[in-house]
């Protein structure tokens, strides 16, 4: 199996001039080893995230969210859609999360001053029935643990002409979307701008609550197993996700209501164009069907980053 080693998961500027590390056929399974979002800086609970001590913050914008790549996908061209299947995600045996002043919903709270100071927590992971972290659990404390829900925070194809920071890139080609539906079994639709697509991925979260309200998830290194196929000459307004049980249209924007509207329009276009659903009927169903969902994946207030929303409908109604 072709793979990119963790030592090469160091890209923070997404650009199409980088030499591809591997080249894969459509349907070929390959592996990417990834770093955590802070390059392994947080070793234990005593590691405080003071900006002047963090190598990721010695440049502007910060060199957060290193990704592995690029991967050249044979047959992909500009104007195609590359569908990335997430075959598996295996997180490392630990992750970290942090609080910082002015970060997150309560980063400037007077009522909860404990949430607006520097704080680091190392999160320990333990294997599940598969004997791997793919279905493992997190032991948060002596009393509390939960099943891991690993997903890819940043996945994208290279832009056509710009160099974009991986931490703030968002759009139809993907980027730092922090969607918990970028998980094992999901198929991620991304717009290709170049021959070969040029795929990058990293910034894995072992688990995350909706909204990523503290501005950090369970950030960890991981091993990704992926495969790709190409849909020729397909235009989509933004990233899409196929789960076995649901279709999800994503959109990134601010304010939140604009992201919600964009996600709904993305999903509506998908249902109308690919599934033959009547436009008005699809819209009315979203207003009355109790299985329609709006997922607020992240509301991180970071320069250049918009909020990410997913509009979700079960596939059973359309297939």
């Amino acid at each position: 199996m072709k793979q990119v080693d963790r030592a090469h998961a160091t890209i923070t500027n997404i650009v199409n001039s980088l030499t591809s590390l591997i080249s894969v056929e459509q349907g070929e399974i390959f592996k990417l080893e990834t770093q955590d979002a802070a390059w392994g800086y947080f070793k234990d609970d005593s590691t405080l995230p003071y900006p002047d001590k963090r190598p990721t913050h010695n440049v502007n914008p910060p060199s957060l969210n290193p990704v592995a790549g690029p991967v050249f996908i044979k047959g992909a061209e500009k104007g195609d859609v590359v569908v990335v299947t997430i075959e598996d995600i295996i997180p490392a045996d630990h992750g970290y999360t942090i609080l910082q002043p002015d970060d997150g919903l309560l980063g400037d709270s007077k009522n909860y001053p404990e949430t607006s100071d520097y704080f680091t927590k190392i999160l320990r992971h333990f294997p599940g029935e598969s004997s791997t972290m793919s279905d493992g659990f997190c032991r948060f404390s002596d009393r509390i643990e939960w099943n891991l829900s690993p997903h890819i925070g940043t996945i994208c194809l290279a832009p056509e002409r710009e160099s974009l920071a991986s931490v703030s890139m968002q759009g139809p080609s993907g980027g730092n979307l922090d969607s918990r539906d970028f998980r094992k079994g999901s198929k991620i639709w991304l717009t290709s701008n170049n021959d070969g697509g040029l795929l990058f991925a990293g910034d894995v979260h072992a688990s995350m609550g909706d909204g990523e309200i503290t501005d950090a998830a369970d950030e960890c290194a991981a091993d990704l197993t992926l495969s790709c196929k190409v849909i020729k000459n397909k235009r989509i307004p933004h990233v899409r996700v196929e789960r076995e049980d649901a279709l999800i249209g994503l959109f990134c924007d601010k304010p939140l209501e604009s992201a919600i509207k964009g996600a709904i329009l993305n999903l509506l276009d998908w249902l109308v164009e690919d599934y033959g659903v009547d436009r008005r009927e699809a819209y009315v169903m979203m207003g009355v069907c109790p299985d329609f969902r709006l997922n607020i994946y992240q509301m991180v207030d970071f320069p250049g980053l918009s909020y990410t929303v997913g509009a979700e409908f079960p596939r059973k109604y359309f297939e």
Side-chain angles (χ1 to χ4, degrees), residues 5-65:
D5 295 334
R6 189 160 289 112
H8 294 101
T10 59
I11 305 301
T12 56
N13 289 332
I14 309 300
V15 60
N16 67 359
S17 60
L18 294 172
T19 301
S20 298
L21 297 180
I22 57 174
S23 177
V24 297
E25 302 281 353
Q26 293 185 49
E28 180 181 356
I29 295 175
F30 59 95
K31 181 178 179 181
L32 303 180
E33 296 181 347
T34 69
Q35 306 272 8
D36 68 42
W39 299 76
Y41 174 79
F42 297 102
K43 303 297 186 183
D44 54 57
D45 292 343
S46 66
T47 310
L48 295 175
Y50 294 119
D52 60 348
K53 295 183 179 180
R54 297 170 65 180
T56 56
H57 285 61
N58 291 335
V59 295
N60 188 22
S63 58
L64 296 165
N65 289 25

Side-chain angles (χ1 to χ4, degrees), residues 72-301:
F72 188 97
I73 302 146
K74 295 180 181 178
E77 299 175 293
K78 179 182 177 181
D80 295 340
V81 165
V82 173
V83 181
V84 183
T85 297
I86 302 175
E87 307 285 350
D88 205 357
I89 304 174
I90 301 180
D93 61 2
H94 72 282
Y96 76 88
T97 197
I98 58 174
L99 300 178
Q100 301 180 100
D102 300 320
D103 277 5
L105 289 180
L106 300 181
D108 58 356
S109 175
K110 295 181 180 179
N111 291 333
Y112 287 84
E114 302 89 345
T115 66
S116 58
D117 199 0
Y118 290 109
F119 172 77
T120 306
K121 186 173 182 64
I122 303 299
L123 300 163
R124 302 296 175 184
H125 306 153
F126 298 88
E129 292 184 0
S130 69
S131 298
T132 74
M133 304 300 178
S134 177
D135 58 353
F137 65 94
C138 172
R139 184 163 292 148
F140 184 76
S141 68
D142 292 340
R143 298 187 302 111
I144 299 173
E145 59 186 43
W146 53 72
N147 293 333
L148 297 179
S149 181
H151 54 274
I152 302 172
T154 302
I155 184 169
C156 62
L157 302 177
E160 184 176 16
R161 65 180 184 88
E162 294 183 83
S163 176
L164 301 176
S166 60
V167 70
S168 56
M169 176 184 176
Q170 293 176 318
S173 299
N176 184 16
L177 305 183
D178 291 333
S179 168
R180 54 174 167 72
D181 282 303
F182 293 175
R183 66 195 197 200
K184 181 178 179 179
S186 290
K187 300 178 186 295
I188 317 303
W189 291 36
L190 306 170
T191 295
S192 175
N193 302 296
N194 303 278
D195 288 346
L198 306 179
L199 175 69
F200 299 81
D203 179 33
V204 169
H205 303 160
S207 62
M208 183 183 79
D210 269 7
E212 199 176 9
I213 62 170
T214 63
D215 283 9
D218 181 347
E219 312 281 346
C220 67
D223 293 344
L224 308 179
T225 309
L226 310 172
S227 63
C228 300
K229 74 171 185 178
V230 176
I231 303 176
K232 302 299 294 183
N233 300 312
K234 177 71 173 178
R235 187 175 296 276
I236 59 176
H238 211 283
V239 176
R240 291 173 174 173
V241 178
E242 283 185 271
R243 290 200 329 242
E244 183 177 351
D245 61 339
L247 302 171
I248 307 170
L250 274 67
F251 204 78
C252 300
D253 207 351
K254 285 182 178 180
L256 181 61
E257 54 265 32
S258 294
I260 289 172
K261 183 175 182 179
I264 289 172
L265 288 171
N266 188 3
L267 180 58
L268 277 171
D269 287 351
W270 199 0
L271 296 178
V272 170
E273 295 171 6
D274 290 11
Y275 290 84
V277 182
D278 177 80
R279 290 173 180 268
R280 182 168 60 189
E281 185 174 275
Y283 178 53
V284 172
M285 284 182 68
M286 291 182 183
V288 298
C289 180
D291 293 326
F292 174 68
R293 293 286 180 270
L294 286 171
N295 304 306
I296 302 175
Y297 294 122
Q298 66 87 0
M299 293 179 59
V300 174
D301 192 12

